[in-house]
Amino acid sequence: MTTTENHVRNGVDTATLFATLDAVKGETGIAKFQFRATNQWLSGTHNRSTIHGFHGAMQEMTHREPFTFDADHPPVLVGKDNAPTPVEYVLHALAACLTAGIANIAAARGVHLTEVSSTVEGDIDLLGILGLSDEVRNGYQQLRVSFVLRGDDPEKLRSVVEQSRRRSAVYDVVTNGVPVSIDVDAG
Amino acid sequence: MTTTENHVRNGVDTATLFATLDAVKGETGIAKFQFRATNQWLSGTHNRSTIHGFHGAMQEMTHREPFTFDADHPPVLVGKDNAPTPVEYVLHALAACLTAGIANIAAARGVHLTEVSSTVEGDIDLLGILGLSDEVRNGYQQLRVSFVLRGDDPEKLRSVVEQSRRRSAVYDVVTNGVPVSIDVDAG
């Protein structure tokens, strides 16, 4: 094997991964991040977020370009279907976080992956949002993630998924909740 | 005023909005929705979700096209920065849901909007994700949403934001959490 093959597994540069872990052990302030999104209302339920700058590793940083994402409602929910609904982006965030964790953890453990695919389903009863029932919550009542993994020994693959769940930021946010403050400038 | 001006306010078709509310009051099963995303791992922390089909109003439906979104990590987090991180999509989802609610509620109340913009910030300490501290959670520790609204009387605008918070699906998910089940096919 070449040096490259030793360091890169499942597309993860494990040398950089372990160097990052060592760096954080030496200076834990490196691990404090702040992520940001800005959003502009366009019309009706259609709006657009931009994701660009963030703080991390004790400095201001930016993604290589500003990423923009629209959200809207489909016609059945009185929108123009310019983009997915906000609640569907939560499903993407959850699948993406667990999958990135699977790739990193598998690489760190020397577990070979050929396929990681998933489906996330979320059940929601709009009686809550619509204000037609005080007993129905506004958000999802249940989320189900179904993974298909191929590559290494099935038990190793299952163990990687479990460790990703234990260390996933979005899984933590979605299952445990986070305090949210809302400030309004209506000047 | 023309009929169109009477029915469409802030880009929201209020006639359809109220007709939808009446329809749901008549048959509450219409309000049961299921949203879905599928995700494919590409390489390393880079993966891609597709959002297309959903169930609602007692039938299978699709968005007008499959919407796809990538996620990745920036180089400082051992990725290639092909897209925002999964946790940043949560910020977009939160801003988008509150903003769509503001537009709908303002329209229903006859409140005029000329601007709704927001910034969402999320603080996260990666010592949790990295497995370097058992006392630090994996997800965000705090989210802050800052809204700027212009248009109608400031008190009316503030009241619309508060009602949107009270009826937001993503705000509910993010603040209160949701049960998540994970199934693995590692055959």
Side-chain angles (χ1 to χ4, degrees):
Chain A
M1 290 172 79
T2 67
T3 303
T4 301
E5 285 172 327
N6 278 328
H7 287 183
V8 178
R9 189 179 293 121
N10 305 327
V12 175
D13 183 341
T14 55
T16 304
L17 183 63
F18 291 127
T20 301
L21 280 167
D22 285 342
V24 175
K25 284 177 195 166
E27 169 51 69
T28 54
I30 293 174
K32 291 190 188 305
F33 275 64
Q34 181 186 87
F35 290 108
R36 303 173 197 130
T38 59
N39 183 279
Q40 291 285 334
W41 172 58
L42 299 174
S43 180
T45 51
H46 186 201
N47 58 76
R48 180 171 296 153
S49 291
T50 302
I51 294 170
H52 193 207
F54 61 95
H55 186 90
M58 304 197 283
Q59 59 195 291
E60 280 297 305
M61 310 186 83
T62 56
H63 289 290
R64 63 180 182 182
E65 61 183 87
F67 297 114
T68 63
F69 303 97
D70 287 16
D72 198 359
H73 288 190
V76 68
L77 298 173
V78 200
K80 299 271 171 56
D81 207 18
N82 290 289
T85 59
V87 288
E88 289 170 298
Y89 279 102
V90 173
L91 308 182
H92 164 51
L94 180 61
C97 193
L98 290 166
T99 300
I102 287 167
N104 273 341
I105 292 160
R109 292 183 177 183
V111 173
H112 181 60
L113 297 174
T114 56
E115 179 189 350
V116 183
S117 58
S118 58
T119 299
V120 188
E121 298 175 342
D123 301 324
I124 190 165
D125 186 334
L126 303 186
L127 293 180
I129 293 176
L130 295 171
L132 297 177
S133 169
D134 288 335
E135 290 160 25
V136 175
R137 70 178 294 178
N138 297 319
Y140 286 121
Q141 297 172 322
Q142 171 75 41
L143 296 176
R144 288 176 299 280
V145 187
S146 301
F147 271 107
V148 174
L149 275 81
R150 296 290 181 268
D152 218 317
D153 174 72
E155 275 315 300
K156 287 184 184 172
L157 296 177
R158 264 189 269 273
S159 170
V160 165
V161 175
E162 172 55 19
Q163 181 63 14
S164 179
R165 185 192 66 74
R166 293 188 58 230
R167 288 300 175 197
S168 165
V170 177
Y171 180 86
D172 176 21
V173 166
V174 168
T175 55
N176 295 318
V178 177
V180 177
S181 68
I182 300 180
D183 177 64
V184 182
D185 170 357
Chain B
M1 289 172 79
T2 67
T3 303
T4 302
E5 283 171 330
N6 279 329
H7 286 186
V8 178
R9 190 180 293 122
N10 305 327
V12 175
D13 183 341
T14 54
T16 303
L17 183 63
F18 292 127
T20 301
L21 280 167
D22 285 340
V24 174
K25 284 177 196 167
E27 169 51 69
T28 55
I30 293 174
K32 292 191 186 304
F33 275 63
Q34 181 186 86
F35 291 108
R36 304 172 196 131
T38 58
N39 183 280
Q40 291 285 335
W41 173 58
L42 298 174
S43 179
T45 51
H46 186 201
N47 57 77
R48 179 171 298 153
S49 291
T50 301
I51 294 170
H52 193 207
F54 60 95
H55 185 91
M58 304 197 283
Q59 60 194 291
E60 280 297 305
M61 309 186 83
T62 56
H63 290 290
R64 63 179 182 183
E65 60 184 270
F67 297 114
T68 63
F69 303 97
D70 286 17
D72 198 0
H73 287 189
V76 68
L77 297 174
V78 199
K80 299 271 170 58
D81 207 18
N82 289 290
T85 60
V87 287
E88 289 170 298
Y89 279 101
V90 173
L91 309 182
H92 164 51
L94 180 60
C97 193
L98 289 167
T99 299
I102 287 167
N104 272 341
I105 292 160
R109 292 184 177 183
V111 173
H112 181 59
L113 297 174
T114 56
E115 179 189 349
V116 183
S117 58
S118 59
T119 300
V120 188
E121 299 175 341
D123 302 323
I124 191 165
D125 187 334
L126 302 186
L127 292 180
I129 294 176
L130 295 171
L132 297 177
S133 169
D134 288 334
E135 290 160 23
V136 175
R137 69 178 295 176
N138 297 319
Y140 286 121
Q141 297 171 323
Q142 170 76 41
L143 296 176
R144 286 177 300 281
V145 187
S146 301
F147 271 108
V148 174
L149 275 82
R150 296 290 181 268
D152 217 316
D153 173 71
E155 276 315 300
K156 287 184 183 171
L157 296 177
R158 262 189 272 273
S159 171
V160 165
V161 175
E162 173 56 18
Q163 182 62 14
S164 179
R165 184 192 66 73
R166 293 188 45 197
R167 288 299 175 199
S168 166
V170 177
Y171 180 87
D172 175 21
V173 166
V174 168
T175 56
N176 295 319
V178 177
V180 177
S181 68
I182 299 180
D183 177 64
V184 182
D185 169 357

Short mmCIF file of all heavy atoms in Angstrom, two decimals, chain A residues 76-123:
data_model
loop_
_atom_site.label_atom_id
_atom_site.label_comp_id
_atom_site.label_asym_id
_atom_site.label_seq_id
_atom_site.Cartn_x
_atom_site.Cartn_y
_atom_site.Cartn_z
N VAL A 76 -50.54 21.89 -1.36
CA VAL A 76 -51.49 21.35 -0.38
C VAL A 76 -51.34 22.04 0.97
O VAL A 76 -52.27 22.02 1.79
CB VAL A 76 -51.31 19.81 -0.25
CG1 VAL A 76 -49.97 19.47 0.41
CG2 VAL A 76 -52.46 19.18 0.54
N LEU A 77 -50.19 22.69 1.19
CA LEU A 77 -50.00 23.48 2.40
C LEU A 77 -49.90 24.97 2.07
O LEU A 77 -49.16 25.73 2.71
CB LEU A 77 -48.76 22.99 3.17
CG LEU A 77 -48.86 21.55 3.65
CD1 LEU A 77 -47.54 21.07 4.25
CD2 LEU A 77 -50.00 21.40 4.66
N VAL A 78 -50.59 25.37 1.03
CA VAL A 78 -50.80 26.77 0.68
C VAL A 78 -49.49 27.48 0.31
O VAL A 78 -49.28 28.65 0.66
CB VAL A 78 -51.56 27.53 1.80
CG1 VAL A 78 -52.19 28.80 1.26
CG2 VAL A 78 -52.64 26.66 2.42
N GLY A 79 -48.59 26.77 -0.36
CA GLY A 79 -47.35 27.38 -0.84
C GLY A 79 -47.19 27.16 -2.33
O GLY A 79 -48.11 26.65 -3.00
N LYS A 80 -46.02 27.51 -2.86
CA LYS A 80 -45.78 27.41 -4.30
C LYS A 80 -44.80 26.29 -4.64
O LYS A 80 -44.40 26.14 -5.79
CB LYS A 80 -45.23 28.76 -4.82
CG LYS A 80 -46.20 29.94 -4.61
CD LYS A 80 -47.15 30.09 -5.77
CE LYS A 80 -48.26 31.09 -5.51
NZ LYS A 80 -47.80 32.43 -5.15
N ASP A 81 -44.34 25.54 -3.63
CA ASP A 81 -43.46 24.38 -3.84
C ASP A 81 -42.15 24.76 -4.53
O ASP A 81 -41.62 24.00 -5.35
CB ASP A 81 -44.20 23.29 -4.64
CG ASP A 81 -43.66 21.89 -4.35
OD1 ASP A 81 -42.98 21.70 -3.32
OD2 ASP A 81 -43.90 20.98 -5.17
N ASN A 82 -41.63 25.92 -4.18
CA ASN A 82 -40.32 26.31 -4.72
C ASN A 82 -39.18 25.50 -4.13
O ASN A 82 -38.06 25.52 -4.66
CB ASN A 82 -40.05 27.79 -4.41
CG ASN A 82 -40.93 28.71 -5.21
OD1 ASN A 82 -40.75 28.84 -6.42
ND2 ASN A 82 -41.88 29.36 -4.55
N ALA A 83 -39.42 24.81 -3.04
CA ALA A 83 -38.36 24.11 -2.31
C ALA A 83 -39.02 23.22 -1.27
O ALA A 83 -40.24 23.30 -1.05
CB ALA A 83 -37.45 25.13 -1.63
N PRO A 84 -38.25 22.35 -0.61
CA PRO A 84 -38.83 21.53 0.47
C PRO A 84 -39.33 22.39 1.62
O PRO A 84 -38.97 23.57 1.76
CB PRO A 84 -37.66 20.66 0.93
CG PRO A 84 -36.69 20.66 -0.19
CD PRO A 84 -36.83 22.01 -0.83
N THR A 85 -40.13 21.77 2.46
CA THR A 85 -40.59 22.43 3.68
C THR A 85 -39.46 22.47 4.72
O THR A 85 -38.53 21.65 4.67
CB THR A 85 -41.76 21.65 4.29
OG1 THR A 85 -41.32 20.32 4.58
CG2 THR A 85 -42.94 21.59 3.33
N PRO A 86 -39.55 23.39 5.67
CA PRO A 86 -38.54 23.43 6.73
C PRO A 86 -38.39 22.09 7.46
O PRO A 86 -37.27 21.66 7.76
CB PRO A 86 -39.06 24.53 7.66
CG PRO A 86 -39.79 25.47 6.73
CD PRO A 86 -40.45 24.57 5.72
N VAL A 87 -39.49 21.41 7.74
CA VAL A 87 -39.38 20.15 8.49
C VAL A 87 -38.65 19.07 7.71
O VAL A 87 -38.06 18.16 8.30
CB VAL A 87 -40.76 19.61 8.96
CG1 VAL A 87 -41.32 20.46 10.08
CG2 VAL A 87 -41.74 19.49 7.80
N GLU A 88 -38.67 19.14 6.37
CA GLU A 88 -37.94 18.14 5.58
C GLU A 88 -36.43 18.37 5.68
O GLU A 88 -35.64 17.41 5.60
CB GLU A 88 -38.41 18.17 4.12
CG GLU A 88 -39.82 17.60 3.98
CD GLU A 88 -40.42 17.82 2.61
OE1 GLU A 88 -40.60 18.99 2.20
OE2 GLU A 88 -40.73 16.83 1.93
N TYR A 89 -36.02 19.62 5.85
CA TYR A 89 -34.58 19.88 6.04
C TYR A 89 -34.06 19.25 7.33
O TYR A 89 -32.89 18.89 7.43
CB TYR A 89 -34.31 21.39 6.03
CG TYR A 89 -34.22 21.99 4.65
CD1 TYR A 89 -35.26 22.72 4.11
CD2 TYR A 89 -33.06 21.85 3.88
CE1 TYR A 89 -35.18 23.28 2.85
CE2 TYR A 89 -32.96 22.41 2.62
CZ TYR A 89 -34.02 23.13 2.11
OH TYR A 89 -33.93 23.68 0.85
N VAL A 90 -34.93 19.11 8.31
CA VAL A 90 -34.52 18.44 9.56
C VAL A 90 -34.18 16.98 9.28
O VAL A 90 -33.21 16.43 9.83
CB VAL A 90 -35.63 18.56 10.62
CG1 VAL A 90 -35.28 17.73 11.86
CG2 VAL A 90 -35.87 20.01 11.01
N LEU A 91 -34.95 16.34 8.40
CA LEU A 91 -34.69 14.93 8.04
C LEU A 91 -33.33 14.81 7.34
O LEU A 91 -32.56 13.89 7.60
CB LEU A 91 -35.80 14.40 7.13
CG LEU A 91 -37.23 14.58 7.62
CD1 LEU A 91 -38.21 13.96 6.62
CD2 LEU A 91 -37.42 14.00 9.00
N HIS A 92 -33.07 15.74 6.41
CA HIS A 92 -31.77 15.76 5.72
C HIS A 92 -30.64 15.95 6.73
O HIS A 92 -29.61 15.23 6.68
CB HIS A 92 -31.77 16.90 4.69
CG HIS A 92 -30.43 17.30 4.19
ND1 HIS A 92 -29.50 16.40 3.69
CD2 HIS A 92 -29.82 18.52 4.13
CE1 HIS A 92 -28.40 17.05 3.32
NE2 HIS A 92 -28.57 18.32 3.58
N ALA A 93 -30.80 16.88 7.65
CA ALA A 93 -29.75 17.15 8.63
C ALA A 93 -29.45 15.91 9.47
O ALA A 93 -28.28 15.59 9.73
CB ALA A 93 -30.16 18.32 9.54
N LEU A 94 -30.50 15.20 9.86
CA LEU A 94 -30.31 14.01 10.69
C LEU A 94 -29.60 12.90 9.93
O LEU A 94 -28.63 12.31 10.42
CB LEU A 94 -31.68 13.53 11.21
CG LEU A 94 -31.66 12.30 12.10
CD1 LEU A 94 -30.85 12.54 13.36
CD2 LEU A 94 -33.09 11.88 12.45
N ALA A 95 -30.06 12.63 8.70
CA ALA A 95 -29.42 11.59 7.89
C ALA A 95 -27.97 11.94 7.60
O ALA A 95 -27.07 11.09 7.68
CB ALA A 95 -30.18 11.41 6.57
N ALA A 96 -27.73 13.21 7.27
CA ALA A 96 -26.38 13.65 6.89
C ALA A 96 -25.41 13.55 8.06
O ALA A 96 -24.25 13.14 7.90
CB ALA A 96 -26.43 15.08 6.36
N CYS A 97 -25.87 13.91 9.26
CA CYS A 97 -24.99 13.89 10.42
C CYS A 97 -24.62 12.46 10.80
O CYS A 97 -23.46 12.15 11.05
CB CYS A 97 -25.69 14.61 11.58
SG CYS A 97 -24.58 14.98 12.97
N LEU A 98 -25.62 11.59 10.83
CA LEU A 98 -25.35 10.19 11.17
C LEU A 98 -24.43 9.55 10.12
O LEU A 98 -23.54 8.76 10.46
CB LEU A 98 -26.66 9.41 11.27
CG LEU A 98 -27.54 9.75 12.49
CD1 LEU A 98 -28.95 9.17 12.31
CD2 LEU A 98 -26.91 9.24 13.79
N THR A 99 -24.63 9.91 8.85
CA THR A 99 -23.84 9.31 7.77
C THR A 99 -22.39 9.79 7.80
O THR A 99 -21.46 9.00 7.62
CB THR A 99 -24.50 9.61 6.41
OG1 THR A 99 -25.82 9.05 6.42
CG2 THR A 99 -23.70 9.04 5.26
N ALA A 100 -22.19 11.09 8.04
CA ALA A 100 -20.81 11.60 8.16
C ALA A 100 -20.11 10.93 9.33
O ALA A 100 -18.92 10.58 9.26
CB ALA A 100 -20.82 13.12 8.33
N GLY A 101 -20.83 10.75 10.42
CA GLY A 101 -20.24 10.07 11.59
C GLY A 101 -19.87 8.63 11.28
O GLY A 101 -18.80 8.15 11.67
N ILE A 102 -20.75 7.95 10.54
CA ILE A 102 -20.46 6.56 10.16
C ILE A 102 -19.16 6.50 9.35
O ILE A 102 -18.30 5.65 9.58
CB ILE A 102 -21.65 5.99 9.35
CG1 ILE A 102 -22.83 5.72 10.29
CG2 ILE A 102 -21.26 4.73 8.58
CD1 ILE A 102 -24.16 5.44 9.58
N ALA A 103 -19.01 7.43 8.39
CA ALA A 103 -17.81 7.42 7.54
C ALA A 103 -16.55 7.68 8.38
O ALA A 103 -15.53 7.00 8.22
CB ALA A 103 -17.94 8.46 6.44
N ASN A 104 -16.62 8.66 9.28
CA ASN A 104 -15.45 8.99 10.11
C ASN A 104 -15.10 7.85 11.07
O ASN A 104 -13.93 7.49 11.22
CB ASN A 104 -15.72 10.27 10.92
CG ASN A 104 -15.37 11.53 10.16
OD1 ASN A 104 -14.61 11.49 9.18
ND2 ASN A 104 -15.92 12.65 10.60
N ILE A 105 -16.11 7.32 11.74
CA ILE A 105 -15.85 6.28 12.74
C ILE A 105 -15.35 5.01 12.07
O ILE A 105 -14.42 4.36 12.56
CB ILE A 105 -17.13 6.02 13.57
CG1 ILE A 105 -17.44 7.27 14.43
CG2 ILE A 105 -16.99 4.78 14.44
CD1 ILE A 105 -18.87 7.35 14.91
N ALA A 106 -15.95 4.66 10.92
CA ALA A 106 -15.48 3.49 10.18
C ALA A 106 -14.02 3.65 9.77
O ALA A 106 -13.21 2.73 9.92
CB ALA A 106 -16.36 3.25 8.95
N ALA A 107 -13.68 4.85 9.31
CA ALA A 107 -12.29 5.09 8.88
C ALA A 107 -11.35 4.97 10.08
O ALA A 107 -10.28 4.34 9.98
CB ALA A 107 -12.18 6.48 8.25
N ALA A 108 -11.74 5.56 11.21
CA ALA A 108 -10.89 5.52 12.39
C ALA A 108 -10.69 4.08 12.88
O ALA A 108 -9.63 3.73 13.41
CB ALA A 108 -11.49 6.38 13.50
N ARG A 109 -11.71 3.23 12.70
CA ARG A 109 -11.64 1.84 13.18
C ARG A 109 -11.10 0.88 12.13
O ARG A 109 -11.00 -0.32 12.39
CB ARG A 109 -13.05 1.37 13.58
CG ARG A 109 -13.59 2.07 14.80
CD ARG A 109 -14.96 1.49 15.17
NE ARG A 109 -15.49 2.08 16.38
CZ ARG A 109 -16.63 1.72 16.97
NH1 ARG A 109 -17.36 0.74 16.42
NH2 ARG A 109 -17.04 2.30 18.07
N GLY A 110 -10.82 1.39 10.92
CA GLY A 110 -10.37 0.51 9.86
C GLY A 110 -11.47 -0.36 9.30
O GLY A 110 -11.22 -1.47 8.81
N VAL A 111 -12.71 0.11 9.37
CA VAL A 111 -13.85 -0.64 8.83
C VAL A 111 -14.13 -0.15 7.41
O VAL A 111 -14.27 1.05 7.17
CB VAL A 111 -15.10 -0.43 9.72
CG1 VAL A 111 -16.34 -1.07 9.08
CG2 VAL A 111 -14.85 -1.01 11.11
N HIS A 112 -14.21 -1.08 6.47
CA HIS A 112 -14.39 -0.76 5.06
C HIS A 112 -15.86 -0.57 4.73
O HIS A 112 -16.71 -1.38 5.13
CB HIS A 112 -13.80 -1.91 4.22
CG HIS A 112 -13.90 -1.67 2.75
ND1 HIS A 112 -13.30 -0.59 2.13
CD2 HIS A 112 -14.52 -2.38 1.77
CE1 HIS A 112 -13.56 -0.65 0.82
NE2 HIS A 112 -14.29 -1.72 0.59
N LEU A 113 -16.17 0.51 4.02
CA LEU A 113 -17.55 0.80 3.60
C LEU A 113 -17.63 0.81 2.07
O LEU A 113 -16.77 1.41 1.41
CB LEU A 113 -17.99 2.18 4.09
CG LEU A 113 -18.08 2.41 5.60
CD1 LEU A 113 -18.38 3.88 5.88
CD2 LEU A 113 -19.14 1.52 6.23
N THR A 114 -18.64 0.19 1.52
CA THR A 114 -18.91 0.34 0.09
C THR A 114 -20.23 1.06 -0.14
O THR A 114 -20.44 1.64 -1.20
CB THR A 114 -18.97 -1.03 -0.63
OG1 THR A 114 -19.96 -1.84 0.01
CG2 THR A 114 -17.61 -1.73 -0.58
N GLU A 115 -21.13 1.02 0.83
CA GLU A 115 -22.42 1.70 0.68
C GLU A 115 -22.96 2.12 2.04
O GLU A 115 -22.92 1.33 2.99
CB GLU A 115 -23.47 0.78 0.02
CG GLU A 115 -24.84 1.47 -0.12
CD GLU A 115 -25.97 0.55 -0.57
OE1 GLU A 115 -25.69 -0.59 -0.97
OE2 GLU A 115 -27.13 0.98 -0.50
N VAL A 116 -23.43 3.36 2.12
CA VAL A 116 -24.21 3.81 3.27
C VAL A 116 -25.38 4.60 2.69
O VAL A 116 -25.19 5.67 2.11
CB VAL A 116 -23.41 4.73 4.22
CG1 VAL A 116 -24.28 5.10 5.43
CG2 VAL A 116 -22.10 4.08 4.66
N SER A 117 -26.57 4.06 2.80
CA SER A 117 -27.74 4.80 2.35
C SER A 117 -28.81 4.74 3.44
O SER A 117 -28.80 3.85 4.29
CB SER A 117 -28.26 4.25 1.02
OG SER A 117 -28.59 2.89 1.15
N SER A 118 -29.68 5.72 3.42
CA SER A 118 -30.68 5.77 4.48
C SER A 118 -31.95 6.46 4.01
O SER A 118 -31.94 7.24 3.05
CB SER A 118 -30.12 6.50 5.71
OG SER A 118 -29.73 7.81 5.37
N THR A 119 -33.01 6.14 4.69
CA THR A 119 -34.28 6.83 4.53
C THR A 119 -34.73 7.31 5.90
O THR A 119 -34.62 6.57 6.87
CB THR A 119 -35.36 5.87 3.96
OG1 THR A 119 -34.92 5.40 2.68
CG2 THR A 119 -36.69 6.58 3.80
N VAL A 120 -35.16 8.56 5.96
CA VAL A 120 -35.70 9.10 7.21
C VAL A 120 -37.16 9.46 6.97
O VAL A 120 -37.49 10.12 5.98
CB VAL A 120 -34.94 10.36 7.68
CG1 VAL A 120 -35.40 10.76 9.08
CG2 VAL A 120 -33.44 10.13 7.66
N GLU A 121 -38.02 8.99 7.85
CA GLU A 121 -39.46 9.32 7.78
C GLU A 121 -39.86 10.05 9.05
O GLU A 121 -39.43 9.69 10.14
CB GLU A 121 -40.30 8.04 7.71
CG GLU A 121 -40.05 7.19 6.49
CD GLU A 121 -40.83 5.87 6.55
OE1 GLU A 121 -41.27 5.48 7.65
OE2 GLU A 121 -40.97 5.25 5.48
N GLY A 122 -40.69 11.06 8.89
CA GLY A 122 -41.18 11.80 10.04
C GLY A 122 -42.69 11.96 9.99
O GLY A 122 -43.23 12.42 8.99
N ASP A 123 -43.36 11.56 11.06
CA ASP A 123 -44.83 11.67 11.14
C ASP A 123 -45.20 12.97 11.84
O ASP A 123 -44.70 13.27 12.92
CB ASP A 123 -45.40 10.50 11.96
CG ASP A 123 -45.04 9.15 11.37
OD1 ASP A 123 -45.00 9.06 10.13
OD2 ASP A 123 -44.77 8.22 12.15
#
